[in-house]
Amino acid sequence: MAGTIKAIRGMKDILPPETGRWQLIEQVAREVFDLYGYQEMRLPLLERTELFARSIGADTDIVAKEMYTFADRHGESLTLRPEATAQVVRAVLENRLERGFWVKKYYTIGPMFRYERPQKGRYRQFHQINCEALGTDAPELDAEVIFLLVDILGRLKIEQVRLLINSLGCPECQVDFKARLSLFLAAKEGWCDDCRRRRDTNPLRVLDCKSQRCQELLRPAPMMRDCLCEACAGHYARVLELLGRAGVAFEEQPRLVRGLDYYTRTAFEVAAVGLGSQDAVAGGGRYNGLARDLGGPDLPGLGFAIGEDRLVEILPPDCGQGRQEKIFLAALGTAAREVALALLQELRQQGLAGEMDFDDRSLKAQMSLADRLGATYTVILGDQELAQGQATLRHMATGEQEQVPLPDLAPRLLKR
Ligand code: AMP
């Protein structure tokens, strides 16, 4: 016999009870997005490869090594989305949503795909909550987007986090920075093969090389903040000022770059304590040139992505455990089962969760089932009780029991 089929490496089943934690995260995120005026987009998982190649950058790890790309039956090159920002901007432009004077605010939740080496906190299918705001370069929007992220994490009681922030400047500042960086990179030996190539093609990408050796060599490298033009320096200072005024704790991280080419000006990451080496739970920044790179108008914007898989790991253990109150109906015999089924439906209609056994189990077996299902009360319905128009109501934690007339059962349980 052939063996059973397993899921693909780096892709996992998310099962109950853990799904309760995912639901909680998404519910809180949706509530917060709503408060800040964001609306949901639901986008395809597949896009034309060109969308990512043009926006993320050909020299990035994502585009060079990590995309799930294949030709469809007509030979068109398609890619499973590795991230959502380029896609949201594509959808905005395609659907002419950029029109009008107001900032456009969207969020999207779903799986992303990257062919990375799987390890704890790093998967090939992972899940992001994406926030994107388009239409102004005002630093107030940067601050608001960061407030929103901090708000989601705060409501989820994720407290041990560090907000790291930097400015990557505009393309003009980057010309100066790249020139200084290239000189620095050329003067040193020992770079990995990728970085030797990136030195010539896209020196900025050397900064986010994952090799430890390269990271050590980079220690004395020039820093972006020394190359910011006046406008970018002013923008950055204003963002920091607004965060400070709002009491949002942050750490300036002059070495922070993001693994995608489209970022300009503000870039940030949230690192969480307790996650080991893959400790980034969220990352984002400005992408003022992205819409233009994708053939659209000048449409400054910024956003972030929360890594949901990692957030689930650090959510307090008692979060997202589903409903606490549950009733079990232990019915003995066909007639009792019929009454129980009707009662159960009435309770559910009134918003009280409940379950019953359909398989004629003994009372003892049903009581242990009620225990395992975590019922707070069990209603016992046997022939004798039925004949008297009553049921036994048992409080599972204390073992206390009382006889209750059938018509009073639903009101009694609902009152509790
Ligand atoms: P990025 O889109 O690379 O800026 O990543 C944003 C967030 O997504 C990160 O901070 C992580 O929390 C999460 N993330 C990125 N790649 C992975 C992955 N391979 N597995 C799990 N989470 C990931």
Side-chain angles (χ1 to χ4, degrees):
M1 219 174 68
T4 52
I5 296 170
K6 300 258 181 354
I8 295 168
R9 187 166 131 82
M11 305 199 179
K12 60 179 175 158
D13 303 318
I14 300 164
L15 306 171
E18 196 194 290
T19 31
R21 293 162 73 73
W22 290 74
Q23 286 168 355
L24 175 75
I25 289 172
E26 287 166 20
Q27 182 198 332
V28 167
R30 284 177 198 283
E31 281 165 14
V32 176
F33 279 129
D34 186 47
L35 287 173
Y36 286 73
Y38 285 73
Q39 291 176 303
E40 187 181 14
M41 276 189 175
R42 297 192 183 202
L43 303 169
L45 301 189
L46 274 178
E47 293 277 354
R48 287 175 217 280
T49 304
E50 190 194 349
L51 172 67
F52 304 115
R54 239 161 80 180
S55 55
I56 299 173
D59 285 312
T60 59
D61 277 352
I62 296 180
V63 172
K65 303 182 200 165
E66 296 171 358
M67 295 206 300
Y68 279 89
T69 295
F70 60 93
D72 74 0
R73 288 170 191 276
H74 289 283
E76 185 169 12
S77 181
L78 304 181
T79 294
L80 275 168
R81 63 178 185 191
E83 62 106 39
T85 302
Q87 192 181 34
V88 169
V89 174
R90 195 267 306 138
V92 165
L93 299 177
E94 182 170 348
N95 295 288
R96 313 299 306 265
L97 303 176
E98 81 282 8
R99 292 170 175 193
F101 66 95
W102 192 240
V103 179
K104 313 295 168 203
K105 297 174 167 181
Y106 300 103
Y107 74 94
T108 190
I109 300 177
M112 307 293 153
F113 303 84
R114 292 181 198 169
Y115 198 86
E116 292 190 87
R117 194 173 52 77
Q119 64 180 84
K120 185 169 158 42
R122 200 203 276 156
Y123 311 100
R124 288 180 174 172
Q125 175 174 331
F126 58 99
H127 304 79
Q128 288 187 340
I129 298 173
N130 273 87
C131 164
E132 312 293 347
L134 299 116
T136 175
D137 188 33
E140 284 75 9
L141 183 65
D142 303 47
E144 193 192 67
V145 163
I146 294 173
F147 295 162
L148 193 163
L149 172 59
V150 170
D151 206 344
I152 293 178
L153 298 176
R155 283 172 203 240
L156 288 168
K157 308 220 167 9
I158 298 198
E159 274 142 14
Q160 301 232 55
V161 291
R162 297 160 61 210
L163 170 65
L164 312 173
I165 190 163
N166 192 18
S167 175
L168 304 179
C170 61
E172 284 86 71
C173 321
Q174 287 180 9
V175 170
D176 179 20
F177 180 57
K178 277 180 196 166
R180 290 201 213 180
L181 188 60
S182 294
L183 283 177
F184 171 85
L185 297 174
K188 276 199 179 205
E189 285 311 319
W191 306 105
C192 72
D193 290 348
D194 279 342
C195 286
R196 269 206 301 279
R197 185 174 44 75
R198 291 171 183 143
R199 274 200 299 201
D200 306 322
T201 54
N202 192 347
L204 272 185
R205 292 276 65 87
V206 177
L207 298 176
D208 57 21
C209 177
K210 288 178 188 130
S211 133
Q212 220 168 355
R213 168 107 181 106
C214 292
Q215 282 305 322
E216 260 158 42
L217 287 170
L218 279 169
R219 240 176 242 161
M223 291 203 240
M224 187 70 222
R225 72 167 164 215
D226 300 324
C227 302
L228 294 181
C229 67
E230 214 179 303
C232 286
H235 188 275
Y236 183 45
R238 179 78 178 135
V239 174
L240 298 187
E241 184 191 341
L242 292 168
L243 293 178
R245 279 208 192 145
V248 173
F250 61 84
E251 295 169 36
E252 279 190 80
Q253 179 76 275
R255 297 258 174 247
L256 179 77
V257 282
R258 312 266 307 122
L260 304 92
D261 272 356
Y262 53 63
Y263 285 113
T264 54
R265 294 198 160 173
T266 315
F268 55 93
E269 251 173 39
V270 173
V273 177
L275 272 180
S277 66
Q278 303 299 310
D279 67 348
V281 277
R286 263 204 178 272
Y287 42 79
N288 286 349
L290 181 55
R292 224 174 324 118
D293 291 346
L294 292 174
D298 216 359
L299 189 65
L302 86 154
F304 64 78
I306 295 177
E308 229 183 324
D309 307 70
R310 294 182 193 174
L311 204 53
V312 166
E313 292 282 323
I314 51 168
L315 201 62
D318 56 339
C319 284
Q321 289 183 334
R323 63 165 71 236
Q324 302 296 317
E325 190 81 3
K326 197 183 235 181
I327 310 297
F328 189 82
L329 269 66
L332 298 159
T334 315
R337 269 210 300 279
E338 226 168 79
V339 174
L341 195 58
L343 178 61
L344 193 53
Q345 276 313 93
E346 189 184 337
L347 293 175
R348 287 170 174 162
Q349 233 98 72
Q350 308 274 348
L352 198 58
E355 305 231 42
M356 65 178 285
D357 165 55
F358 301 128
D359 285 330
D360 229 358
R361 286 186 171 81
S362 69
L363 181 59
K364 195 167 162 230
Q366 292 199 47
M367 294 312 287
S368 98
L369 195 57
D371 240 355
R372 265 185 291 154
L373 290 170
T376 36
Y377 285 91
T378 297
V379 177
I380 303 165
L381 270 167
D383 289 345
Q384 210 186 332
E385 275 104 342
L386 215 54
Q388 295 168 348
Q390 292 192 333
T392 304
L393 184 62
R394 182 184 173 91
H395 185 244
M396 297 301 282
T398 61
E400 268 171 42
Q401 297 198 164
E402 58 179 312
Q403 295 297 117
V404 180
L406 284 180
D408 296 349
L409 260 177
R412 274 285 292 280
L413 286 168
L414 288 164
K415 213 164 67 198
R416 286 171 201 281

